[in-house]
Amino acid sequence: MLKAKELTRTVRRRRIVDAISFELPEGSTATVLGPSGSGKTTLLRMIMGLDLPDAGELHLGERCLARTGLHVPPETRDISLVFQEFTLFPNLDVADNLAFGLKRPHAEQRHVDDLLELLEIAHLKHRRIDRLSGGEQQRVALARALAVKPRVLLMDEPFSNIDNMLRERLYGRLRARLAEYGMTTLIATHDHKEAFFFSDLIMVMKDGALIDHNPPQLIYERPANAWVAAFFGDANAVEGGLLATLWPTGDWQPGTRYLVRPEAFDTGDPDAADFVAARVDNVVYYGAHQDLAVSLAGGATLKVRAPGPRRITAGERVGIRLHPALDPHPLPDPA
Ligand code: ADP
Ligand code: MG
C-alpha cells in the first residue's frame, strides 16, 4: 500500500500541492488526472523523494518515506519515476542506458530485450539516444524504468510524444505487463481516456488540490462537481423541474441540477408518444457518432449524442428521449 496523508508542498506561499491524501493498494494502477499546472508533476516528485513536502506524510507498506524530520532518499525508496523530460544519457546507446541501474545487466539481458520488443524499439538497441526521436526516447525511458521492476512505478505523461496508433498498441501490452509484475503504478496524465484505460482509481487534481477520486465509472457518472464532469467529456446540467415535465419517469427534484451525459439520450421520431420534439441547431460529425446541439420548445438547449448510421442534419426536427437506465444524479457547482 502506498499511502499519502495530507501531502503538501508550498512554493512562494502558494500551495502547489495542497494536503493530498490517498491510498493505493499493492499492485493497483491509478492515474493523477488534471490540466497543465494542477500539480501532477510535483506530486510525483514528492512521492519519488525529489521534492520535499513541507507538511504531510508518505508511507510505502510499513515504511514511512517522508514526514516532518524524515526524508528517505529516492534511491532507497524502491520507486522509479519516468520523467516527462526523459533524463537519458544522450551520448550512450539504448542498450547502455538500459543496463544502467540494473544490478546484473548480463543476467537480465533477455528481460531487457523482451521489454524493447514490447515497446517496439528493439531495432534501436545500438543507437545513441541523441539520434532518437522524442517518442523513441520516451519508450527507452519507459523500458529502463520497467527493467528494474520497482515496487512502485511513477510515470509522468508517459505517452505524450507517442502517436495515436502506436499509443493504442502500447496501452494494452503495457497494462498486461504491469499486472504481470504486480507493480503499484501511478500515471500522471491530462488525457481522460488514458485514465479510463489504466485506472483502478482516478484522482482528479485542480490548482494543487485533489478534488475527486473514484474508480472510472463512478467518476464519470457521479463526478464531484460540474468542473470534473466537463473534464471527462460533454455534460448537460439539467434542472430537475424541466426533466420532470419532459420525462416524468425519474425521481427529479425541482431546483436541483442533474448530470445528463449526451449519450444518455435516444433520438427518434419527434411525433412518437414517448419522445419530446426538439430542433437540431448544430451537428458535428465524428464518424462513429454525431454530436447534436438541440433546443426544446421552452428554449432549453441540450447536447445529444446520436450514434450509428442514421444521419441527422441541422434544422431538422428530432425526437429526444431519456434512456431508461439513467440514474438521476445531482451535479453540484464547483466550490
Ligand atoms: P503539472 O505537472 O500538473 O503541469 P506542476 O506540478 O508541474 O503541474 O506545477 C504545478 C504548479 O506549480 C504550476 O503552477 C507550476 O508553475 C508551479 N511550480 C512547479 N514547480 C515550481 C518551482 N520549482 N518553483 C515555482 N513554481 C513551481
Ligand atoms: Mg507535469
Side-chain angles (χ1 to χ4, degrees):
M1 172 91 82
L2 178 70
K3 186 171 168 183
K5 208 169 123 194
E6 308 208 333
L7 215 52
T8 300
R9 182 167 166 83
T10 312
V11 174
R12 292 192 208 98
R13 274 186 261 148
R14 191 161 68 91
R15 288 187 162 202
I16 58 176
V17 171
D18 190 2
I20 286 194
S21 303
F22 61 80
E23 293 183 358
L24 302 185
E26 207 72 36
S28 66
T29 301
T31 47
V32 193
L33 182 71
S36 177
S38 55
K40 304 181 296 294
T41 295
T42 307
L43 177 63
L44 261 47
R45 289 178 58 87
M46 281 200 286
I47 297 169
M48 185 68 217
L50 298 169
D51 284 345
L52 300 192
D54 39 39
E57 294 179 13
L58 184 70
H59 300 262
L60 181 55
E62 297 299 303
R63 194 169 171 221
C64 182
L65 299 180
R67 77 163 107 78
T68 311
L70 173 78
H71 174 71
V72 173
E75 61 277 13
T76 63
R77 288 192 174 196
D78 204 1
I79 301 179
S80 288
L81 169 59
V82 182
F83 292 87
Q84 222 166 336
E85 59 301 312
F86 322 113
T87 65
L88 300 165
F89 299 105
N91 54 339
L92 298 184
D93 72 7
V94 171
D96 287 343
N97 267 274
L98 282 157
F100 201 87
L102 292 178
K103 291 190 192 78
R104 295 175 302 133
H106 287 292
E108 294 175 79
Q109 198 52 52
R110 278 207 29 210
H111 175 222
V112 166
D113 286 344
D114 179 49
L115 286 170
L116 295 180
E117 293 283 346
L118 180 108
L119 294 163
E120 299 186 24
I121 45 175
H123 59 293
L124 303 173
K125 189 173 172 183
H126 299 295
R127 199 178 293 179
R128 279 167 56 125
I129 296 300
D130 55 10
R131 309 266 154 81
L132 300 179
S133 74
E136 289 163 347
Q137 291 187 34
Q138 195 159 34
R139 282 175 281 151
V140 176
L142 264 173
R144 189 174 64 171
L146 287 164
V148 300
K149 290 194 181 170
R151 182 165 171 192
V152 178
L153 177 64
L154 309 171
M155 298 191 271
D156 198 356
E157 314 253 3
F159 305 102
S160 55
N161 286 291
I162 297 172
D163 67 75
N164 281 341
M165 274 168 64
L166 175 59
R167 192 185 299 193
E168 307 242 313
R169 291 202 297 277
L170 296 186
Y171 275 3
R173 280 185 224 151
L174 192 61
R175 189 173 65 174
R177 186 57 63 100
L178 292 170
E180 188 188 311
Y181 290 173
M183 268 178 206
T184 308
T185 308
L186 185 58
I187 304 174
T189 179
H190 57 268
D191 181 345
H192 73 272
K193 287 188 184 150
E194 203 161 291
F196 279 147
F197 191 89
F198 282 100
S199 305
D200 301 311
L201 175 75
I202 298 177
M203 304 197 275
V204 182
M205 278 186 84
K206 181 173 185 273
D207 301 331
L210 184 62
I211 56 170
D212 205 353
H213 62 287
N214 253 324
Q217 190 176 345
L218 267 179
I219 215 156
Y220 186 72
E221 293 175 5
R222 299 175 169 238
N225 61 43
W227 188 89
V228 177
F231 204 78
F232 285 86
D234 284 337
N236 296 290
V238 193
E239 205 277 314
L242 175 68
L243 286 169
T245 56
L246 296 174
W247 295 284
T249 47
D251 182 20
W252 314 106
Q253 304 299 317
T256 300
R257 297 193 317 148
Y258 292 88
L259 169 62
V260 186
R261 294 282 184 189
E263 70 275 14
F265 295 104
D266 285 334
T267 56
D269 178 359
D271 301 313
D274 49 350
F275 283 90
V276 171
R279 193 187 68 236
V280 179
D281 298 324
N282 191 41
V283 179
V284 183
Y285 177 75
Y286 284 108
H289 67 267
Q290 290 174 288
D291 278 348
L292 317 180
V294 309
S295 43
L296 304 172
T301 59
L302 295 171
K303 295 171 200 158
V304 174
R305 181 152 302 170
R310 188 168 109 79
R311 294 287 162 76
I312 295 170
T313 51
E316 193 176 314
R317 271 176 85 238
V318 70
I320 305 291
R321 173 172 76 176
L322 264 189
H323 197 281
L326 185 73
D327 182 13
H329 190 69
L331 184 63
D333 287 323

